[in-house]
Amino acid sequence: MGDMTNSDFYSKNQRNEANHAGEFGCTMEELRSLMELRGTEAVVKIKETYGDTEGICRRLKTSPVEGLPGTAPDLDKRKQIFGQNFIPPKKPKTFLQLVWEALQDVTLIILEIAAIISLGLSFYHPPGEGNEGCATAQAGAEDEGEAEAGWIEGAAILLSVICVVLVTAFNDWSKEKQFRGLQSRIEQEQKFTVVRGAQVIQIPVAEIVVGDIAQVKYGDLLPADGIFIQGNDLKIDESSLTGESDQVRKSVDKDPMLLSGTHVMEGSGRMLVTAVGVNSQTGIIFTLLGAGGEEEEKKDKKGKMQDGNMDTSQSKAKQQDGAAAMEMQPLKSAEGGDGDDKKKANMHKKEKSVLQGKLTKLAVQIGKAGLVMSAITVIILVLYFTVDTFVVNKKPWLPECTPVYVQYFVKFFIIGVTVLVVAVPEGLPLAVTISLAYSVKKMMKDNNLVRHLDACETMGNATAICSDKTGTLTTNRMTVVQAYIGDVHYKEIPDPSVINSQTMELLVNAIAINSAYTTKILPPEKEGALPRQVGNKTECGLLGFVLDLKQDYEPVRSQMPEEKLYKVYTFNSVRKSMSTVIKMPDESFRMYSKGASEIVLKKCCKILSASGEARVFRPRDRDEMVKKVIEPMACDGLRTICVAYRDFPSSPEPDWENENDILNDLTCICVVGIEDPVRPEVPEAIRKCQRAGITVRMVTGDNINTARAIAIKCGIIHPGEDFLCIEGKEFNRRIRNEKGEIEQERIDKIWPKLRVLARSSPTDKHTLVKGIIDSTHTEQRQVVAVTGDGTNDGPALKKADVGFAMGIAGTDVAKEASDIILTDDNFSSIVKAVMWGRNVYDSISKFLQFQLTVNVVAVIVAFTGACITQDSPLKAVQMLWVNLIMDTFASLALATEPPTESLLLRKPYGRNKPLISRTMMKNILGHAVYQLTLIFTLLFVGEKMFMIDSGRNAPLHSPPSEHYTIIFNTFVMMQLFNEINARKIHGERNVFDGIFRNPIFCTIVLGTFAIQIVIVQFGGKPFSCSPLQLDQWMWCIFIGLGELVWGQIIATIPTSRLKFLKEAGRLTQKEEIPEEELNEDVEEIDHAERELRRGQILWFRGLNRIQTQIEVVNTFKSGASFQGALRRQSSVTSQSQDVTNLSSPSHVSLSNVLSSPTSTPPAAAGQG
């Protein structure tokens, strides 16, 4: 069927329906229209058409308890009739499209034009060809019939252009392919829990079919549309579809509709899947957008799953690939087709990644310089030629000579373009791409799954990490190690015989019933291993406690199946407890409760004594218990959980909605201390971070003593240091003013010393991250990484510069908001990410150092050579070859250096550190001096040294000379050896250090060398080369080797002496925030005003007055509204941007944009 578009998809399904409607009691169309209803409408419709949800289950031939039988023919039939759960992805760009894009490069186009003109002219033999009087240099060109070979240069240029284009296109193509591979990996890992044949199993999302009974729980991203059939307290965030941020409460009798792409924020339950793939609500929107919309595709880096032509025959094999077109991307594009929402969605990633910002700036600077140089070269050549021919030799301009002159001019033009081509570092984007792609691929091995390429490099600049405790710093294998039961504090698990049997029964029931039934402890996979914990880890710890007491929770659960639970108050970050109500045999009710001990104990008014009787539990008893039991447990780094219960009479039935009354007057059964051991590799990883200048902070929901104990074990805090450990409440009290608003300067007083934030809510985490990022307290803006696993961590992960989600324990929502997924949930993988990030930055710097040396030398040689000898010593084709070595190959060689531990010994670079440091500038200029000296020596006295004919002032089509070949060869040899020098950028001595760890580098250097031999010996006319003797070759290599010696000499000169060297490629404050975004952020920035000292403010006032006057004048000139100008008068918006840019006139327009969104266009303000 070829590529199946969405419309075919529908028509095919419609045809099927006609045949199959009889098999199931409802068609796809009916179900689709049912899913478009909401709330009560839906309930009414279900009642009228099907009777109830059971009725739909019967029609779809499924059982609400046992699910589908799960037989292959049945599943296939369902897929055929109701469609599969994937959205056909968009086709990737073909190789030809990529080639076409690569051809759009301006310099290449100029070269192509020049080459074509040159070709055309070489085939055109003008009548004046033989006329001796045309030009001086024409003589001698006729020898050996060389004129016929005039086309070769043009052809060779075209050929090298084709080479460059193919290489670029191939790179883009392989990048795209890698990216898709990565996407499909993420897809295949996406699993969902369904019930089939009465077994609860996890299946890939793409395998879900209509009629499946899916289990949904807190943190899930719903993979298909469905109807809620049973569950408790389910709340859904439907903002991705409706834009309403309030959570929607789902219930069987009020609003049973669950939609794909929405997030479960609380509760759990089961749903009957009614629409999948393109027929689900998400799918319908994707279809409207044309599988994600052409435009969106470009803007959206994540790329909707795009895995080429979906034939129906292949679709089985490729289900995973599409399954997640909707999953990975829960509807970024659905929120509004226009670009507006897009901008909001991306607001949080404010700056371009640091590196991109610096590179773009540098590339522009270099490009401008190249353009100027090449223009001057062409002008000088043309002037020299005309003056020489027509003024000095007084030749008349003969009409028949015109073509010959034109040919000369074309040659000059080609030389000019060559200079430009060599000057422009088109290898930069390539190097960045290769380096990032390579890093991302390798990071997979280090358990980092990178979702946004630039996150990898931002991580190298990280200055702070806010980490969760559970599961990241600890192993997330919870075990109960201490317990307080019946007035006794047991330091290890007590013997079952010492516990009163009544208490024991209550305890077992309370734990078994009041926990998610999906949480289980399974036997170990292999002999001697620990039992496997499935589901919520804290609950696993409690169930493990039941097993340690030689009891079993399974019989209790089978006696009281999930359907029979009367009411469940699920755990959420507000309650911090979970309660389950059951109906007793005598019709009365019993509620079991468990949760954080300090919270549950406050609600207890009785406690079970040693004899199993409940006795009164007064507040002062509670205080004593906190001191004697809970604090000692917490100081050992244990989490304390209290288990309690309460009985209610059968009549009158309590008002279950009134939570405050229900969750009160409890009887405490026991308090347990759960240990979650620190991962063995974490302390070392944290030490590395601290040595690398990264502050690690722990943000946890645990009690402060537990948190502090774990922080000391991890090495986050060292006793005797000056640091803060505070609870969320205290943190909020300190950062808010009297009105309860958060003040940045209050946060600035706290965060530098804060190491542990305990009992924190998700909003505290977000506030902290935002506070650190917006802080102007340090001279460099902080770059913050955050780890998170829960649904509620989403906002903090999004706000952070780099968000790490947990691959194993993380919920879909957290993964969606993150930039990097830690596939092993381990903190030490973050250290690897830092290493790789710094490595990317260094690789780019190495490449720059190498490339700029070549650029400087090639440009100067071509320029001076052209001015003095009317002909560039390096020909166009040779230049293109040099460009190929230094751009494409060097970027491959230098960008694939593996990272070393030594990267973690230095502090982060930060935003304002220039890309090219002083040391690098010293290296670039130093090597350029060496190379230029030698090349000019060879150019002007080379023929005497080697006893060969001079190549200078050769006529237009003369054969290539040995002289110029030696220059070209020496030049390339010097580059090859300098490439080895470029491996180190911090002035290290040993440039060979670890060279064999990088096979790509060795291969490329040797390969280039081999190709160079071939070009020189057999390149002939197209490469303007003439074969060299062995001794000449030896000299070339010897001069090249000199580079290494010279490199050592340069390393000896202390950089600190060279104050005059400029650094390049730094980001100033001003460029960090694009102007249009400032409008939206005016309020945020205002705190900077308070930071400025009074003197500065006065100075600004003066400046502002002048600006205001200028603006008013301009505004009247341009006749625009002068609101902006007046508004400035009232508030001194002394943004820090002005501070850095006082010297330039642009601050006038900038402040103006800041002051009011409605003010005059910046151009108007800038004229003054």
Side-chain angles (χ1 to χ4, degrees), residues 393-553:
N393 296 338
K394 303 202 168 37
K395 296 255 173 72
W397 179 294
L398 303 171
E400 62 266 30
C401 284
T402 308
V404 180
Y405 295 144
V406 172
Q407 220 164 343
Y408 265 106
F409 290 146
V410 169
K411 177 182 156 186
F412 298 150
F413 181 60
I414 289 180
I415 291 173
V417 173
T418 317
V419 173
L420 179 63
V421 170
V422 175
V424 174
E426 59 274 51
L428 266 184
L430 194 68
V432 178
T433 314
I434 292 177
S435 187
L436 284 174
Y438 172 78
S439 302
V440 167
K441 210 167 164 180
K442 290 286 188 212
M443 280 169 82
M444 288 293 291
K445 291 199 179 75
D446 284 336
N447 303 313
N448 283 295
L449 192 135
V450 181
R451 293 182 65 230
H452 301 147
L453 277 181
D454 53 352
C456 158
E457 165 262 319
T458 314
M459 206 42 224
N461 283 315
T463 54
I465 299 176
C466 295
S467 170
D468 265 0
K469 176 178 81 69
T470 312
T472 317
L473 300 173
T474 58
T475 54
N476 208 3
R477 257 200 84 85
M478 307 281 189
T479 38
V480 172
V481 287
Q482 295 187 18
Y484 180 86
I485 308 176
D487 297 339
V488 187
H489 182 176
Y490 298 96
K491 287 288 164 81
E492 54 235 10
I493 302 290
D495 187 78
S497 56
V498 300
I499 296 173
N500 179 295
S501 57
Q502 223 174 331
T503 310
M504 181 69 95
E505 192 192 345
L506 268 172
L507 178 61
V508 174
N509 279 338
I511 292 176
I513 294 174
N514 184 29
S515 56
Y517 278 33
T518 46
T519 304
K520 307 187 193 47
I521 292 192
L522 301 178
E525 279 174 345
K526 39 184 183 292
E527 284 296 308
L530 293 164
R532 282 180 299 153
Q533 298 188 337
V534 183
N536 180 311
K537 296 296 194 250
T538 311
E539 292 179 353
C540 284
L542 290 168
L543 291 175
F545 179 51
V546 171
L547 298 177
D548 289 340
L549 291 170
K550 313 282 186 289
Q551 307 291 317
D552 192 2
Y553 61 87

Side-chain angles (χ1 to χ4, degrees), residues 28 105 217 234 278 283 288 315 344 358 383 388-389 407 412 424 447 474 550 567 620 708 759 771 939 1004 1060 1069:
M28 186 175 77
D105 191 48
K217 58 180 187 312
L234 193 68
V278 276
L288 294 176
S315 52
K344 287 194 196 86
K358 292 179 180 177
L383 281 177
D388 188 57
T389 312
Q407 220 164 343
F412 298 150
V424 174
N447 303 313
T474 58
K550 313 282 186 289
K567 173 140 187 77
R620 69 158 188 273
R708 187 183 290 127
R759 279 276 173 257
L939 179 59
I1004 285 181
F1060 58 88
Q1069 292 289 169

Side-chain angles (χ1 to χ4, degrees), residues 349-357 360 454 911 1067 1072:
K349 294 271 176 247
K350 196 180 279 149
E351 305 87 353
K352 272 202 287 225
S353 93
V354 187
L355 189 62
Q356 282 169 327
T360 319
D454 53 352
R911 295 190 163 269
L1067 269 185
E1072 277 192 30

Side-chain angles (χ1 to χ4, degrees), residues 118-187:
S118 164
L119 268 179
L121 285 171
S122 66
F123 288 124
Y124 169 64
H125 291 291
E129 187 84 60
N131 188 329
E132 283 297 311
C134 282
T136 42
Q138 191 62 27
E142 297 307 314
D143 310 350
E144 310 167 39
E146 277 291 351
E148 280 68 61
W151 60 275
I152 292 181
E153 183 160 33
I157 293 180
L158 279 182
L159 193 73
S160 35
V161 166
I162 291 171
C163 263
V164 172
V165 168
L166 287 177
V167 168
T168 319
F170 179 73
N171 264 307
D172 287 348
W173 179 77
S174 59
K175 182 174 87 183
E176 178 102 321
K177 200 164 131 252
Q178 266 186 3
F179 193 74
R180 298 189 169 222
L182 198 73
Q183 281 298 72
S184 59
R185 268 225 29 193
I186 298 180
E187 260 58 292

Side-chain angles (χ1 to χ4, degrees), residues 1024-1071:
S1024 324
C1025 284
S1026 116
L1028 298 180
Q1029 314 296 320
L1030 185 64
D1031 59 330
Q1032 294 167 333
W1033 262 103
M1034 282 304 156
W1035 274 106
C1036 295
I1037 294 174
F1038 175 71
I1039 295 175
L1041 274 168
E1043 269 289 338
L1044 293 173
V1045 181
W1046 185 249
Q1048 294 301 318
I1049 296 172
I1050 295 181
T1052 318
I1053 306 170
T1055 316
S1056 48
R1057 291 281 170 80
L1058 307 171
K1059 286 279 184 280
F1060 58 88
L1061 286 182
K1062 283 277 300 265
E1063 299 157 325
R1066 68 162 62 232
L1067 269 185
T1068 46
Q1069 292 289 169
K1070 174 167 179 265
E1071 283 129 32

Side-chain angles (χ1 to χ4, degrees), residues 241-285:
L241 280 177
T242 58
E244 301 287 327
S245 57
D246 292 344
Q247 295 178 11
V248 184
R249 200 188 189 119
K250 298 288 176 186
S251 62
V252 182
D253 46 1
K254 297 218 172 53
D255 181 2
M257 295 314 200
L258 302 176
L259 307 173
S260 59
T262 58
H263 292 136
V264 181
M265 298 312 271
E266 196 176 307
S268 61
R270 290 185 172 191
M271 78 166 182
L272 165 70
V273 176
T274 53
V276 293
V278 276
N279 303 306
S280 64
Q281 295 303 306
T282 310
I284 293 169
I285 293 176

Side-chain angles (χ1 to χ4, degrees), residues 1-6 8-10 12-13 28 78-80 82-90 187-188 190 204-210 223-225 260 273 275-284 286-287 291 304-328:
M1 233 188 96
D3 296 347
M4 199 152 77
T5 61
N6 288 337
D8 299 339
F9 213 77
Y10 284 132
K12 177 168 168 288
N13 281 322
M28 186 175 77
R78 287 173 191 272
K79 283 181 187 165
Q80 217 177 345
F82 298 111
Q84 295 178 338
N85 197 18
F86 74 81
I87 295 176
K90 232 184 83 221
E187 260 58 292
Q188 279 146 14
Q190 200 90 27
V205 167
E207 295 287 320
I208 292 177
V209 294
V210 170
D225 289 357
S260 59
V273 176
V276 293
V278 276
N279 303 306
S280 64
Q281 295 303 306
T282 310
I284 293 169
F286 266 114
T287 315
K304 320 278 176 298
M305 259 309 307
Q306 324 147 323
D307 228 283
N309 41 6
M310 298 295 304
D311 302 44
T312 35
S313 59
Q314 289 179 325
S315 52
K316 281 291 272 296
K318 291 204 171 170
Q319 280 150 355
Q320 281 92 346
D321 298 62
M326 54 193 208
E327 320 227 354
M328 288 306 300

